[in-house]
Amino acid sequence: MEPVRIGHPRSPKQSNDSASSNNDAAVVTAPNIFALPTEVNYQAIGFVQTVVTRFGSNRYELAFQVGGVETVALIAQKVTKSMTSNYHLFDALRGGENAKMTKKSGHYIGKLRRDKDQPQGCYTLYDSSREKQQLAAFVYDIPNLVSQVKEGQPPRKMQAVIPKYSEGNALLEEETLNVKHHNNRLMEHLHNGTWQHHDLVAVQTRPPSFHEGQYRLNFQGRVLTPSVKNMQLEDQVGQTFLQFGKVDDARFHLDFKAPFTAVSAFAAALAQFDL
């Protein structure tokens, strides 16, 4: 299969992505960035398809790929003067791509922040409410330097936990939420293994196979460039809910399905960029 070739990373965008045919455009729609996707949002391979573009080291954009067109929906701006990694998230569909990126702007929707008190790579996704509701938590198993020298660069291992909502619920619209768990203790539930008792979903990276000197995963043609950032997140029975991988130096395909939303899937990708 030939490498995926896509147009210039600005919205609206024309794409030659073979996985998004004109036939798909008649039935597939992009989901609300805050809501769980449903069947009408899935492409032929069973995922919402997006592309994440990296601009330098501080700005990232997520664009939906539907019907050969790419539309920027989310923007992340890394805060440069912060003790720990801190990404502010913005709704590009509301504010536009060139709007001012500040917390006081009307399109600021939350942040992804690394926990400075944890020995591992721990990240928490918060919404923009006064209560700072937690929307997802991510934990990386970072190998020590001795292991990296001895074994080379091993695949990264991530665990994540996200709330379990019914399909169609908008995660950031307070009036639609029906939170039945301690939603501000996601990291604690992930570390302690108590997520099963609190209407949460836990996923982890799928172990790649090692073939001809390389670690490999089946991305159904969406990812053809080797990278330590390439990953798939699966549940305890092996069902894949998210896949992320390199297209070129600046562009990465990010595909997801419920229980991930565009916001929580974007956060998982940002955590991969940060390490």
Side-chain angles (χ1 to χ4, degrees), residues 8-267:
H8 190 272
R10 284 293 171 185
S11 174
K13 310 178 178 71
Q14 293 299 318
S15 169
N16 294 322
D17 189 343
S18 59
S20 300
S21 67
N22 290 332
N23 290 334
D24 291 334
V27 295
V28 177
T29 60
N32 184 300
I33 61 173
F34 306 131
L36 294 181
T38 62
E39 292 297 326
V40 298
N41 308 129
Y42 296 148
Q43 302 281 0
I45 64 172
F47 293 96
V48 177
Q49 292 184 353
T50 75
V51 60
V52 175
T53 305
R54 175 174 55 187
F55 297 90
S57 59
N58 296 328
R59 182 182 171 109
Y60 304 84
E61 295 181 357
L62 178 147
F64 290 117
Q65 296 179 307
V66 178
V69 177
E70 295 179 4
T71 304
V72 175
L74 289 167
I75 297 172
Q77 187 75 35
K78 188 173 184 179
V79 180
T80 55
K81 296 180 180 179
S82 180
M83 292 182 62
T84 61
S85 298
N86 188 5
Y87 298 84
H88 288 179
L89 305 180
F90 300 89
D91 181 354
L93 298 175
R94 183 193 306 172
E97 297 176 55
N98 299 317
K100 193 172 182 180
M101 301 296 164
T102 67
K103 294 179 71 173
K104 294 182 179 180
S105 66
H107 60 294
Y108 170 74
I109 60 171
K111 66 182 179 181
L112 176 74
R113 185 151 196 168
R114 184 168 181 172
D115 192 335
K116 64 180 179 180
D117 297 323
Q118 298 288 342
Q120 297 173 299
C122 298
Y123 298 80
T124 303
L125 174 64
Y126 302 90
D127 70 8
S128 59
S129 68
R130 181 177 300 177
E131 295 77 17
K132 292 184 173 59
Q133 186 79 18
Q134 295 183 8
L135 304 178
F138 307 92
V139 176
Y140 276 96
D141 178 15
I142 303 175
N144 59 45
L145 183 60
V146 173
S147 297
Q148 293 187 49
V149 171
K150 186 176 180 179
E151 303 173 13
Q153 182 66 58
R156 295 173 175 175
K157 296 179 181 179
M158 175 200 278
Q159 291 179 293
V161 64
I162 51 181
K164 184 189 298 182
Y165 295 116
S166 60
E167 288 194 358
N169 273 3
L171 293 184
L172 298 185
E173 295 177 5
E174 185 175 353
E175 65 272 16
T176 66
L177 291 179
N178 183 20
V179 181
K180 298 180 180 179
H181 52 269
H182 301 290
N183 212 28
N184 284 331
R185 297 168 55 192
L186 295 184
M187 193 67 69
E188 177 183 333
H189 291 313
L190 185 57
H191 282 311
N192 296 339
T194 54
W195 56 268
Q196 301 176 68
H197 309 299
H198 295 280
D199 292 325
L200 301 171
V201 178
V203 294
Q204 61 279 323
T205 46
R206 180 191 298 273
S209 60
F210 192 75
H211 181 66
E212 296 182 352
Q214 289 186 334
Y215 292 101
R216 299 178 183 272
L217 290 165
N218 179 12
F219 290 94
Q220 303 182 67
R222 290 281 286 166
V223 178
L224 299 172
T225 303
S227 172
V228 69
K229 294 180 175 62
N230 296 352
M231 71 169 179
Q232 292 177 325
L233 294 179
E234 64 178 7
D235 64 8
Q236 283 63 43
V237 297
Q239 182 178 3
T240 302
F241 291 111
L242 180 148
Q243 60 181 27
F244 175 73
K246 186 175 182 179
V247 178
D248 58 37
D249 287 343
R251 292 165 62 80
F252 296 76
H253 280 161
L254 173 64
D255 303 335
F256 64 92
K257 64 176 65 173
F260 279 94
T261 67
V263 175
S264 57
F266 192 28

